[in-house]
Amino acid sequence: MTGQKIQLMGDSLALNNIEVILGQSIYCKAEHHIIMVDGVSLDALLHRHYPLYHLEGLVPVMPDWLDVPGEREFILSRYKCTSKDFVMPILMCPDDCDLSCTVVVAHVVRTGSRVVWKKLGIDMSSREDMLTGDDPIGTTVDWLDEIPELTFRESDYTSQFSKIYR
């Protein structure tokens, strides 16, 4: 995957483009948000590297689509997190629309004018963990090591994700 190259104070930094668009996915024909990274939907990018994991067709974790009480507030609190380093659920199964099925998370690091997804992975929290609340999400993760680190301009990241997390 290639990002655009920019020059900042003599350093060359690769930035990835992020965009949130409206569209349909292979399993969800209702119009919904789709996270695009460098012109490729995030679920397709994951599927390209991990075709046996059945990640194609996952949709963004959209608060308005979550059915389980408390999950909407949890997701919004993670998105609004002021920590510089945290784990954020970003994709979910469109069949269940909750955080107990397949959930892809990003290890997010904020570095001033950049937001970096250090790594992406599949949350492995058990149903028993989930009964204690949503805090276990991101504590046990099968990291997808073939997915490279992704770096976005903070302003682009915030403006695009504000379409999902209002």
Side-chain angles (χ1 to χ4, degrees), residues 1 18-19 34-49 55-60 90-91 104-106 117 120 147 150 152 161:
M1 168 173 316
I18 190 154
E19 185 178 12
I34 298 171
I35 299 170
M36 305 290 290
V37 176
D38 297 330
V40 178
S41 67
L42 184 57
D43 65 308
L45 171 69
L46 297 174
H47 177 73
R48 183 182 303 158
H49 291 276
L55 302 173
E56 190 171 32
L58 295 181
V59 298
I90 54 172
L91 294 177
V104 173
V105 297
W117 285 353
L120 299 176
I147 306 298
L150 301 167
F152 312 105
F161 274 87

Side-chain angles (χ1 to χ4, degrees), residues 79-95:
Y79 174 69
K80 295 174 182 176
C81 181
T82 58
S83 174
K84 300 270 187 225
D85 190 325
F86 59 99
V87 175
M88 172 75 186
I90 54 172
L91 294 177
M92 67 179 177
C93 174
D95 293 335

Side-chain angles (χ1 to χ4, degrees), residues 7 10 76 102 118 128:
Q7 293 284 17
L76 290 173
T102 302
K118 297 297 277 183
E128 292 78 27

Side-chain angles (χ1 to χ4, degrees), residues 7 18 31 35 41 50-52 54 68 78 94 100-101 108 111 117 121 128 145 150 166:
Q7 293 284 17
I18 190 154
E31 188 173 65
I35 299 170
S41 67
Y50 294 92
L52 300 179
H54 307 288
V68 177
R78 284 282 174 104
S100 66
C101 191
V108 179
T111 60
W117 285 353
E128 292 78 27
D145 296 328
L150 301 167
R166 303 176 229 129

Side-chain angles (χ1 to χ4, degrees), residues 112-126:
S113 63
R114 306 279 183 261
V115 174
V116 181
W117 285 353
K118 297 297 277 183
K119 50 190 174 179
L120 299 176
I122 301 170
D123 183 75
M124 302 303 288
S125 300
S126 69

